[in-house]
Each structure stands twice: as structure tokens, then as C-alpha cells.
């Protein structure tokens, strides 16, 4: 396999854009990634597009990749739409990485894009529920917030974690997002405000949950040779790990390792690093409290120790392992198909030292050298349907 | 890139199965492919699933791969749903091939599955229309049959082709399908019956159009070493070509080569063969007359000579270049996501000499040695959104 460089990333801000169509969100991200890479649009040889709900919400199914990329000026090249629910963006990134690593193509585009704000929350919530096994969940009142709530209540019962800890994650991530121009929320908040916001599915309150929104993110990956040609300092893909969940039923979920744990383990092995080496991390906090279990699944701390890890300050912007400097899903926003690629973009900016206002300093003060993204998608039999972990380095 | 062998293929028959869900169709095809390969289900390392309309028609979006494969007994491994409209099945095959060719995995599964018969033709027709750019076609009366009709009228105006020629394609393919146990239609027909059947979009009549139906097809691909281990005589993937259409507007469509032409050219170059070397061919005749232009796009005959090529007998089962021995889309059926993999399955059976009743003999009478599949998907700005051509050899 060949070394793969990320040479360009770009985003459309996350938020509610009632006047923009999917293709317009996509074009902004693609244009920005191409400009960032210093290449020409025509140099892209293959493209993968991650999107989850455009068919159900806006009626465009089947050829989403071609429709949005034609608007961005791309045609003729091989294109494919890929899906893995909330991990659709990193699934597109994975395929683009493999396309270059394999030797099949020298320059590949990965795009994630989603338009979830359609002015009707019920319709959007129903669309989100299609990321479960609908034959089993339909008519059962299943929602992702309900599922997270149940899982968090169980977690609280087994550990010393309190609702205040969950609120603290939101407070940390909202503070980070203040300085992220792509973020849907850009106001700081307090533990008190988070706990006093409307209960969605106890212990989850409104401010702990990722908002409904629209957005896009893109990355251009290429060979070392092409990176030199484009003149952009490359960020290297050191690991690309991808798994689906194993069935985890009943109370004793830990009898089976989670998909996130298994993906992280694979990624560390591929990159030849461990969790202690990570200097900047983006995790899948669709509900802010999930960040605590992500610390554990990534091996940053022991099982059940997520709250302590937070209390000790490690995952803060000035901690030794900053998590979600972008604001994460709960503060930056979570337009499903775009999320995985927004995580990639954030880590690229951090590794380049371009994350003004939210830049982490790295172990030796010269900026971070090694970063990780963890992106989970969907729910099936007690676990994520897909988990992808990427490790990036400058 | 490593050599990639197809060691197992399997199908669920194409047809209308009101009592079966998507996962049940999928399981039958996966079980059959695994049995055919002589491997264990647990030996599959990665899986790609092609499907187009399950979200819109039956409410399962986002994690279609995991839902259907969990039912077939697969979990934990990396899985992804991929889409390219009617070319979703060969897109899944393409990614599975690349996964093995690249060295990332030794054994990969590609599955195509679709459930289009929902007891409401209007809903299914609307779902099919989502394989166009809906922002441009919505409210314009666009249908794929209408688009094919217009294109065929133009073709008739430029060539000596008549409606009888179109009917002859149907008659040929229906005759082939009589001996295909997986075919949706298994009755022979006549030119007269085809021309007298209801007009759908002149010159297209009902019997020229692929029916609405359900079905699934799967293939297991692996390395040469694994093929030896499984003990199955391999069919080799000699070429995998994949393109999207370029904009082709107005009357002079031939000013821009079609996506099918470009994909075929790439495939011949990869395999080091030409159209005259092909001994068995499956093409994308979603409407039977499209087979005539496919002859031309694949280089079997010159532009505008499709009807003559048919009249001379070349594409018949006993001709020198048999086309659609399975019955093709118009007779075998066209459950969209399954079609590309059903083409692969047919060519594998033909190359192994296992296509009882519809077996082609090959140039030297010992059975065909080289076959091709051509699978197109979607419509955007005057061309297919995706075209995939694969060349297989024993």
C-alpha cells in the first residue's frame, strides 16, 4: 500500500440553511478543498460521497454523488455514493484513501454532505431513525436520543458519573466551538444552563444533544508525489480502521468489545502508536456524554473512568489530550453525512497549526504531530453499525 | 494490484415476492454464494452492498448493508452500502474487487439487492425517477421510459432501425430467459406480440421494458491463494472499468463519447483484449432496444449498425458473440441494485459451463473463455450517471 497524503480540506459551515440545496452546500466544501490543495478540479480522478438522508428528506436518491459533484463542476470520473449512517463521511474518506493507497488512482476526493433542516423536526427525527434496523424499531418508539438516554442511565448506575459530568462535556465543547467559524453553535454555556435545559431523554438535556443542521466537508487525498507537485505540506494518513458492531444484547454489554474499541485497537496497530501518543482527538459525541465513553473506548483511560479523566482536565484544549477542539458534534453540529469529514478537516487544521483560537499546542509546544478521528454510525443490536477510526500525522 | 478471483456466486430469483423482505432476498443470495465458494461465512472479511430504493420504498436507509447482512449471519466486519442507481450492484462488485486487488483484504463479498414490488406501481415509478437529478426533473413528467423513448425515436431517425428490430431483441432475450431459473419472465414471445403489447413511450411497448421486481445476487471474490484453499476453480477479473457520464446535450450526442463507450475502452485496455475476443456478454438492456446501442458502444459493430448486427445473428445464443444469454434486464428482470451482480453471476456460470439450457459454446466449442458485463446507472445531462464494465475470464 502506498502512503496517502491529505493535501486539501474544506467545509461549508454547519447550521440551518433553508435557502440552500444539497448541491450548494457540497460545492462550497469542494471548492474550498480544491483551493486548499492547490490542485485543479480536473486533477481529481475518483470521488466518493457520503450522505445519509437526502433520499428520504429531499427526494434525491441513487445518484447523489453525480448530482452534487456535477454542480461543483466534476463529471466523467468514477463517482459513488456511500452510506454508513452518521459514519458516511468517514466511509467516503476510507474509500478515497484506499483508492490512492492501492495504486488505482493518484488523486481522490471524499465529500460528506447533508441537508437535515427541512423545517419539520418530526420528519428529520423519522429520517434519523432509519439509521436503525427499521423492521425491528418501527412502531417501538425508538429514537437515537432514547437509546442514548437508556445507555447513559445504565452507565451512571455502574460508575460514579453524574449528570454534572455530562453537562461539563457540553460546556467544554461549547467553549471550544466559540472559536470555530464552521460551528453551528458559537455561544459558551454553563453546567447550570445545560442541566436546566429541557429534558430530551433523561439524563440527556437539550444542550447535550447535537442539533439538527446542514453542512458539508471535503478532503482531497493523493500520493506523496502528487502532494509535492501541488506544493502543499501533506498530512499523512497513518491508519484507517473500519469495523461494524457485533451483537451486544442485555445488561452486560462489556462482554463484547464495542465497535469503537475494536476500531481504535486496529488503528493503533496500523499506526504503531498508542492512545498516549495522541495530541489532538475528534470523537463522535452525537450526544455530549458519549464523549466520556469514547475516552474509555479509545484507551485514554480505564473503563468507567471517563468522568475522572474529564475532571482531571486531560481532554480540555489546554490538557495533554485535547478532545473535540472543533466543538465536536454536540456543539459544532452534526449534519450526518458531513461529520466524519469535518472531523478529518479539524485534525488537518490542528496538525498544520491553522486552527486559530482553538489551536492545541501539542506535547512540546510546537503544535500537535499526531491526531485521531473516531466516527460512529447507526445502531444495530446494541452497538454502532459502523465505526471508523483514522490516525493522521504531520 | 493482485489478481482477483471470483469463487462463488449466488442469486435469489428475480420476480415479485410480496411476502419477502429485503433481508430475506439478500440471505438467499449470500447463502448460495458462500456454498458455491466452498468457504465459510466467517472467512468473509469485508462486504459492500448495492441497493437503490429501500429507503424511499420501504423506509430502511443508512445502514442497509448491516441490516441485510446481519440477517445472513454476518456482523463485526467492515460493511458499507453503495449506490449508483441501476449500477449499484456492479459498484459493490467494483469495491469488493478493489479491496482484494489492493491487498487490504483476502476475501470480500459483494451483494446487490432490491425490493421494488410494493403493490403500488406509481410509488415504484417515482422511486425510479430519483435516479435522475430530481431538482431538474421533478414536475417535468420525466420518467426513464420517456427518456428511452425519446432517445430511440432519435436513433430511428438517424439509422435504418425499425420497431421490429427492437421487438426482435425482446424475442431473443425472452427465448434465452426460458432456460434461466432465476428469470422473472420465462415465456417465449413473438415480434407480433411485442409490437402489439401496450405502448409505454413510443416506440417502446410493454414487452420491451424491464418489469418491476425483487431479487438479489452476490459474489465472493478473493486472492489466488484463497481460491486454491477453497478448492473452487476461479473465474478471474481481467478488467474493472468505471466512469460517470459527461454532459451530452442536444441532438448531436455523438460529439461526446458515451459513458458506456469510455468504460468499454478502458476495460479492453486493462484486459488487453478487444470486442472480437468476447465469447459471452451481458449488457444493460433496461429497455430491450438499448441492447442495439450497447453492441455499438462495446465496439461489437460500427455506430448505427446495431440492427444489422442483430439481423446477422451475432448476438444470439448460437451466434459468435452471444449477448444476454441470461435473458438480460428486459426478460430476466431488473431489481435495480441486484442487476450488476446478476450479470456477474451469469458470466461466471457461462465461463464455468454451468448455464444449463442457455449455455453458450464459445469459439472452439469448449465453452466460452472470456466474458463481459456492462451495467449502467442513473441519468444526468444526457448520459448515464455511472457505467461499469467488467471483463471476466476462466
Amino acid at each position: 500500500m502506498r502512503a496517502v497524503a491529505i493535501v486539501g480540506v474544506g467545509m461549508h459551515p454547519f447550521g440551518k440553511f433553508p435557502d440552500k440545496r444539497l448541491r450548494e452546500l457540497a460545492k462550497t466544501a469542494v471548492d474550498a478543498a480544491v483551493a486548499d490543495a492547490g490542485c485543479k478540479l480536473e486533477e481529481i480522478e475518483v470521488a466518493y460521497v457520503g450522505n445519509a438522508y437526502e433520499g428520504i428528506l429531499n427526494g434525491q436518491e441513487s445518484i447523489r454523488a453525480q448530482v452534487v459533484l456535477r454542480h461543483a463542476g466534476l463529471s466523467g470520473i468514477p463517482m459513488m455514493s456511500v452510506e454508513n449512517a452518521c459514519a458516511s463521511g468517514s466511509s467516503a474518506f476510507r474509500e478515497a484513501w484506499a483508492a490512492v493507497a492501492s495504486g488505482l488512482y493518484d488523486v481522490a476526493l471524499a465529500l460528506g454532505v447533508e441537508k437535515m433542516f427541512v423545517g419539520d423536526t418530526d420528519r428529520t427525527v423519522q429520517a434519523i431513525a432509519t439509521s436503525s434496523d427499521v423492521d425491528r424499531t418501527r412502531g417501538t418508539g425508538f429514537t437515537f436520543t432514547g437509546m442514548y438516554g437508556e445507555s447513559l442511565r445504565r452507565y451512571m448506575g455502574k460508575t460514579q458519573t453524574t449528570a454534572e459530568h455530562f453537562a461539563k462535556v457540553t460546556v467544554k465543547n461549547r467553549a471550544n466551538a466559540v472559536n470555530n467559524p464552521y460551528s453551528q453553535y458559537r455561544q459558551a454555556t454553563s453546567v447550570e444552563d445545560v442541566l436546566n435545559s429541557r429534558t430530551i431523554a433523561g439524563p440527556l438535556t437539550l444542550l447535550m444533544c447535537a442539533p439538527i443542521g446542514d453542512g458539508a466537508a471535503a478532503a482531497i487525498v493523493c500520493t506523496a508525489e502528487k502532494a509535492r507537485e501541488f506544493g502543499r505540506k501533506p498530512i499523512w494518513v497513518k491508519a484507517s480502521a473500519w469495523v461494524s458492531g457485533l451483537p451486544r444484547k442485555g445488561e452486560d454489554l462489556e462482554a463484547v468489545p464495542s465497535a469503537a474499541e475494536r476500531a481504535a485497537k486496529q488503528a493503533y496497530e496500523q499506526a504503531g502508536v498508542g492512545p498516549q501518543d495522541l495530541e489532538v482527538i475528534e470523537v463522535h459525541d452525537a450526544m455530549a456524554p458519549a464523549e466520556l465513553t469514547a475516552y474509555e473506548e479509545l484507551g485514554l483511560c480505564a473503563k468507567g473512568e471517563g468522568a475522572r479523566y474529564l475532571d482531571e482536565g486531560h481532554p480540555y484544549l489546554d490538557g495533554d489530550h485535547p478532545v473535540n477542539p472543533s466543538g465536536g458534534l454536540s456543539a459544532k453540529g452534526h449534519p450526518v453525512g458531513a461529520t466524519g469529514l469535518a472531523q478529518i478537516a479539524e485534525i488537518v487544521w490542528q496538525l498544520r497549526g491553522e486552527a486559530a483560537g482553538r489551536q492545541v499546542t501539542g506535547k512540546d509546544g510546537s503544535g500537535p504531530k499526531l491526531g485521531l478521528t473516531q466516527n460512529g454510525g447507526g445502531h444495530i443490536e446494541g452497538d454502532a453499525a459502523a465505526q471508523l477510526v483514522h490516525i493522521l500525522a504531520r
Side-chain angles (χ1 to χ4, degrees), chain A:
Chain A
M1 306 297 288
R2 303 192 294 184
V4 176
I6 308 174
V7 286
V9 291
M11 284 182 65
H12 185 290
F14 288 3
K16 292 178 178 170
F17 301 97
D19 296 334
K20 289 197 181 183
R21 295 175 300 167
L22 193 75
R23 65 189 69 192
E24 291 163 321
L25 302 168
K27 184 177 190 311
T28 300
V30 172
D31 284 352
V34 167
D36 189 39
C39 70
K40 297 193 199 92
L41 193 64
E42 301 74 41
E43 292 179 279
I44 295 168
E45 298 169 357
V46 65
Y48 292 90
V49 175
N51 172 268
Y53 306 134
E54 188 68 2
I56 284 187
L57 286 176
N58 303 302
Q60 179 68 62
E61 196 61 275
S62 251
I63 58 162
R64 295 173 262 186
Q66 288 85 350
V67 165
V68 301
L69 292 177
R70 181 70 56 101
H71 185 72
L74 267 175
S75 58
I77 63 167
M79 300 178 189
M80 197 179 293
S81 310
V82 302
E83 272 190 10
N84 256 329
C86 301
S88 296
S90 47
S91 295
F93 182 80
R94 161 75 183 197
E95 295 304 282
W97 165 81
V100 173
S102 66
L104 279 169
Y105 301 95
D106 289 341
V107 185
L109 170 70
L111 167 70
V113 60
E114 201 80 50
K115 180 149 190 61
M116 297 173 74
F117 179 67
V118 294
D120 180 342
T121 303
D122 285 349
R123 274 187 64 218
T124 300
V125 169
Q126 280 168 21
I128 295 170
T130 66
S131 292
S132 69
D133 180 344
V134 296
D135 271 11
R136 295 181 186 213
T137 59
R138 190 186 273 142
T140 65
F142 173 89
T143 61
F144 274 85
T145 42
M147 179 201 77
Y148 270 104
E150 184 191 335
S151 160
L152 291 169
R153 291 193 295 279
R154 202 185 288 150
Y155 181 75
M156 292 170 84
K158 286 193 305 179
T159 65
Q160 304 302 309
T161 313
T162 64
E164 282 74 14
H165 288 115
F166 299 154
K168 278 178 75 177
V169 179
T170 302
V171 172
K172 169 180 81 68
N173 290 348
R174 285 288 189 110
N176 292 350
V178 167
N179 293 304
N180 184 352
Y182 297 100
S183 184
Q184 185 158 353
Y185 291 136
R186 297 193 63 187
Q187 306 81 29
T189 188
S190 66
V191 167
E192 194 174 27
D193 282 351
V194 176
L195 292 177
N196 288 337
S197 67
R198 181 158 58 89
T199 295
I200 299 297
L204 286 175
T205 64
L206 182 66
L207 296 187
M208 295 179 191
C209 302
I212 289 170
D214 313 325
I220 293 172
V221 294
C222 66
T223 59
E225 193 181 349
K226 283 284 177 188
R228 277 192 299 276
E229 190 185 306
F230 298 154
R232 195 55 162 129
K233 191 170 157 27
I235 299 300
W236 300 102
V237 183
K238 290 295 185 184
S240 174
W242 167 32
V243 305
S244 298
L246 291 161
R248 303 170 95 221
K249 291 172 182 171
E251 290 298 308
D252 189 18
L253 294 185
E254 271 144 47
V256 178
S258 75
E261 274 176 84
R262 290 160 46 230
K265 186 163 179 288
Q266 281 186 20
Y268 294 139
E269 284 168 10
Q270 282 176 33
V273 302
Q276 295 312 309
D277 301 314
L278 301 171
E279 293 171 282
V280 59
I281 301 158
E282 288 275 315
V283 305
H284 195 86
D285 65 319
M287 315 295 155
E291 193 179 296
L292 300 183
T293 46
Y295 303 154
E296 303 169 16
E297 290 170 308
L298 295 178
L300 293 165
C301 65
K303 285 285 173 68
E305 297 287 324
R308 183 189 56 74
Y309 192 75
L310 179 73
D311 283 342
E312 291 174 0
H314 305 285
Y316 283 82
L317 216 52
D318 59 358
D320 53 355
H321 298 286
V323 175
N324 284 334
S326 73
L329 286 58
S330 56
K332 181 177 56 185
H334 180 30
V336 162
T339 287
L341 278 152
Q343 294 179 323
I344 297 279
E346 177 68 14
I347 297 293
V348 167
W349 287 323
Q350 290 285 349
L351 295 174
R352 287 182 185 161
E354 295 175 355
R358 62 187 192 284
Q359 179 66 49
V360 310
T361 54
K363 286 181 183 173
D364 64 6
S366 74
K369 293 176 193 66
L370 196 73
L372 175 145
T373 63
Q374 176 254 323
N375 185 205
H379 176 260
I380 187 163
E381 287 191 70
D383 202 356
Q387 282 282 359
L388 289 100
V389 171
H390 287 94
I391 296 179
L392 310 182
R394 65 172 157 103

